[in-house]
Amino acid sequence: MKNLLMAVLLACCQVVAAQSIDQIVDQKVKAAEARQKAYADSLFKMVGTKPDTVKPTPDTRKNCAEIGRDPKIISISAIKSNSLSLEFDANNVFELEYDVLNSSGAQLYRGTKKPSSARVQLTYPAQPNGVYTLKIRGFSCKAPDNQKAFEIKTDQGGGTTDPGSGNGEGNNSPPPTDRKFTYQIIMGTTGSGFDPNATHGIKEGGFSPDGKYYEGWLDRIEAAKFSWGYGISGIALWVPWDTYEPTPGNYQEAGFKRVIEFCRARDLSLSVVFMRRRAQGDGFIKDSEIILGSNGTPYIEGVPGFGSVYAGYANDRINALSAGAIKSIARLMATYEKSFYITLGGGGAGEQVNYVFPGKEYREAADFSDDSQERFTRWQQARGIAKKVGRPPMIQGTWNDWPHPDFNDRDSVGIESARFTTYGLRKAFDSFAEAVRSETNKLVVAYFYSVTSNQQLRSIASPNINYIAANADGLYGSDGDGIGDQKAKFKVNALNLGTFPGKVSMAEQDVDDVTTYKENNGGKMPPYCVGGIYYDVFENTTRSLFSRGLMVMNLAMSWCVSEIKGAEPALYRLKQDFVGHEYKWPNVNTSNTVTVNVTDKYRQSIDLMEDITDVENKFVKYTDYNFFGGVSPVVGDGGGNPDPQPSKDYSPVKSYIEANLANAYNWNVVFDLRSPSGELYSFEKGGKTKDTRFKVMSHSKFTTGVIIAYLIDQGKLSLDTKVGDVIRSWDRPGRANITVRQIMGHLSGIPDNTDNEGSETLEYYVNDLVNKPGFTTPGERFIYSTSAYQVVARMAELVTGKPWKDLFKEILVDPCEMGSAAYNPGDGPIPGKPLNPLAGYGLQCSVNQWMNFIGMIRDKGMYKGRRVLSENVFNILKTKCSPGWSDWCVGVMFTGGKYISEAASGCGTTILEGKYAWAIFTDSSYDKTYWQNIEVRKMVDQTYLRQ
C-alpha cells in the first residue's frame, strides 16, 4: 500500500506541476524505481484520456449574447512587458477569460479577470519586445473569441519599476493613456473656479459693494500669459457638486463646455477637482448624514441653514448619488485632447481626507454623524474585532495632533474607528474612479491627499495611502506648510513614486509655502496678495522635483495677479528646461527605495519618515502590515453594502461533488470554503467531519515550504544555499552543489528513494539517502522527488538546532491553532517513527486545522489579528523554482494568481490572497479526483467572483 501511495503521489504532482500532459509524458516523467514508473505511466494514460468513468460536467453557461452583449475589445493601452490596460464593451459578462498569443499564434498565457468597470488591467508573464495578440471571451457566460494585436516596446508607458524590487505590487501600471506625458505647472482654481453662467465658465472678477475690484480666476489665469506664451501649462478647475448639479440630473454641461473651449483656444490642459459639497437643505444630503465633529459640531461652511455641507466617505448612497455628475464631467473631458487629470476633493481644504475643522477653541475630527456611527457599529460587528460598539474615546491633540480616537483604548474600538475611516476613504475613491472609467480611459484618476508623514495622520486617518489609493493612476500630495517646510514637497514625491512607481506624481506650492508670512505671524495664514514671494525657492524646489520624477507642480491657494506676474522669470526658465518637454520616468528600484510599515508608527504618532534623512534622493514605499487587524475591511457596513460574498449559492459545488461521490471521492469527502470574514460554505459526506484526521500527502510540501520560506526570511537559509554547505555527509561531488531552490522546484536530481524511510531519525535517513543510486545532474531536468524534501527539512534542523517537529510547532501549529496536526505521527505513514517527519508527504491533520493554516496564507500572514509570517515570506513562497518546467514555487504551486496544492490522497487546496481559501479532503486517490477538483475550482471561482 505504501508503494501504491507513493506512485500515486509521483504521478499526481507531475501532472499538476507540468505545463501539459504531453510534456509530462514525453519529457518529465522519470520515476526513481521501475515498479513506481510502471504504475505512474498507467495513471498518466488514465488522466490523459479521461476514462469513461470520469465524465466532465456539461457546460451549462448561457450564451453572453442571450443575456447581454458578447465582449469586444475597444482599445489596448498602457502596454508593458507583463501587463496592459484593456477597454472593452460587454453587458452581463461578470468574468473574462483572456489569452496572450505570440506572433506565430502560439498561446503564451491564459488568465481570467473579473471586471469592475469597462477598463481592466490584464497581467501575463513578462515578454520581450514584439507583436502579440490578445484574445478575450466570456468566462461567466459563453462567447466567441474577440481578438486584437498589440505591440510591446520597452520605451512605452512608464514601466520603470525593477521587476525584482517588490515595488510593482498592486495596481502600479502606468496611467491609462497612450499619449506622451509632459512636465506641467498647473494653476488650481482653489475653492471653486467653475461658474456655469460666466462667459468662459470660469469665475470672473468684479466690483464689491464698496467699489473695489476683486480678482477672479479668469484674471489670474490670464495673468500667466506673457509675451513668450503662458507660464502655466493648464488649469485644475475646482467644480463643486452643488454648482454642477443644482437639482437632480440637471448637469451644467453648457458651462463646462465653455471651459473646454477656453482651454482649447489657449492650448492649456484641463484637469478637475470634483468637490462633494452640497447646499444645506437642497435634498441631497440628509441631516443625519452631515458630518459631525468629535465634539458634536456639524460641519457647515458659511451661515448655518444656508452653508455648504458634506457627507462621510463611507456613505454608499452619496457615493452612488454623485456618480451621475462625475460621469457627465468625465464624458465632456474625454472630448478634449488635452484633458489631463480628475480627482475627488473633500472639505474646504480640498484634499480627500477625514474632515478636520475648527470648533469652539479647538479642532474637531469627523465623521461622527448618526449615519456614520450606525455604519461603523455594524462594520465592527461584521469584523468581530472590537469588544464594544459605539463612539470611540477621543484624544484632544494640539494643532499638529488634532483629535483622534484613542488607539490605546483597551476595548480596541478606537483602533477600529481609524480603520473604518480609512476604509471609507478607499470606498469613496474607488466609487469615484469607477464612475470616471465607465465613461473614458483617457483621464488620469488621481488621489488627492494632504500630509505624508506627521502627527495629523492620526486625525485624518490616511497614512495607509497604499490601500486607499490602490486604484489611482496618479497621486497629488499637498504637504508643506510654510517656506521652512520645502522638504515636505520632496516627501510627497518620494511617497508617490516609491509606493506607486509608474504613476503620475504631483505636488503643490501654496502662496504661504514661498513666503515668510506664516513664520512671522504665529502660524496664521497669509492674507490674499500678501507679496514677498521667494521666487528662487519656488523655482529651485520645482526644478529639483522635476529632476526627481515629479510630473506636475500645482499652484494653489490663489496666487494673485501681481504675484503671478512677478513669477515670470522663474516660469520662463522652467518652461525652457521642463514644462512642455517630454516627461522622463524615474528609475525606481530596491536600491533607492526605503520601505516603511505605517501601522505601528501611525498608532504611536511617530512621523512615518522620521528616519529617512535623504528624501530628496530616496523613494519611500508605504506598507501596512496588520493595519486592519488581519480581518478584511470589506464586510457589510450597514449601509446597504452586503458582505463580500452575500447569499451566493455554492450548492452547485455540493451537487457536483455528490454526483461524483462514488466514482471519484470514494464515498467520503469534506469541503470547506472560507473568506476573511468567515465561513462561506461547507459540507461533509460519508461519515467524515471537519475534525476527522486525514492523510494529506503532498499538502505536506506546502507547510514544509512555508517553514523553509520563514527560515529564509530569518536569514537562516537562502534559496541558493547548497546542501553540502549544511549537511556534512553530502559534501561530495554530485551532491554538494544541490540548492534549496532546486529541491523546492524538483530539479535537484535527488532520487525518490523510500528505503529506510522508517529510520528512527531524519538525520539517519538523509545520511543514508546520499549513498543511494539514481542521482541525476542537478538542474538538468524535472524529476518529482518527495525524498528531496526530507533533505531540506534536515537542513532546517541543522541551521536552527531544533528538531523538525519543534520547528513545525513553533512556526505554524501554535500560532495557527493547528492542535494535533503532525508530520508522521505515531500512527502515521511509517507507524511508530515520529522522529522521521516525512516532510514531503507525512502530514496528518483535520480540515479545521488545515483551514486555520491556509486562512493565514489567504490573509497574507495574519491569524486572528496576530502576525504569523512577514509579508516577505510570501514573496519567497511565490518564487518560481523550476521556470520553464512547472509552476512549482517554494513547496506549493502558484499559478493564475492562486496557491494550488494537490495530493495523492485526492485532497485539493486553492487560495486567492485576501479573498478566499478552500480545501477538499477525502480518502481517495489523485488519479480519480484530478478532473473533479479542477471543476470544483472553476465552480468556486464562478460563484465567488460573480457580482
Side-chain angles (χ1 to χ4, degrees), residues 878-911:
K878 290 182 279 192
T879 303
K880 295 289 186 183
C881 290
S882 52
W885 291 93
S886 74
D887 291 319
W888 272 95
C889 295
V890 180
V892 67
M893 288 171 286
F894 190 80
T895 182
K898 302 181 182 74
Y899 298 93
I900 295 175
S901 183
E902 299 285 353
S905 56
C907 299
T909 288
T910 301
I911 305 167

Side-chain angles (χ1 to χ4, degrees), residues 397-404 407 451-463 479 491 601-602 604-608:
T398 62
W399 77 273
N400 195 33
D401 190 15
W402 299 329
H404 56 268
F407 295 141
V451 295
T452 56
S453 64
N454 69 28
Q455 289 179 315
Q456 294 174 47
L457 290 167
R458 289 160 66 93
S459 304
I460 63 178
S462 64
D479 205 356
K491 287 184 177 182
K601 288 187 174 183
Y602 169 53
Q604 298 173 48
S605 195
I606 296 174
D607 190 303
L608 303 184

Side-chain angles (χ1 to χ4, degrees), residues 694-705:
F694 285 84
K695 298 174 182 179
V696 298
M697 301 300 287
S698 275
H699 276 14
S700 311
K701 293 180 176 65
F702 194 176
T703 46
T704 295

Side-chain angles (χ1 to χ4, degrees), residues 742-793:
Q742 290 168 337
I743 290 174
M744 290 297 168
H746 300 284
L747 297 176
S748 68
I750 298 173
D752 212 11
N753 191 287
T754 62
D755 294 345
N756 291 321
E757 277 192 339
S759 303
E760 285 291 337
T761 64
L762 177 59
E763 176 185 9
Y764 184 91
Y765 171 75
V766 171
N767 288 343
D768 178 68
L769 177 64
V770 72
N771 298 311
K772 297 298 182 183
F775 279 82
T776 59
T777 303
E780 186 177 78
R781 51 183 171 163
F782 183 101
I783 299 179
Y784 187 85
S785 177
T786 291
S787 297
Y789 274 65
Q790 293 276 77
V791 177
V792 80

Side-chain angles (χ1 to χ4, degrees), residues 711-727:
L711 295 178
I712 291 173
D713 184 49
Q714 294 293 309
K716 302 288 187 181
L717 290 169
S718 78
L719 286 173
D720 297 317
T721 298
K722 297 176 181 178
V723 177
D725 292 339
V726 179
I727 306 177

Side-chain angles (χ1 to χ4, degrees), residues 7-19:
V8 175
L9 173 70
L10 175 64
C12 75
C13 294
Q14 283 184 300
V15 171
V16 175
Q19 294 175 342

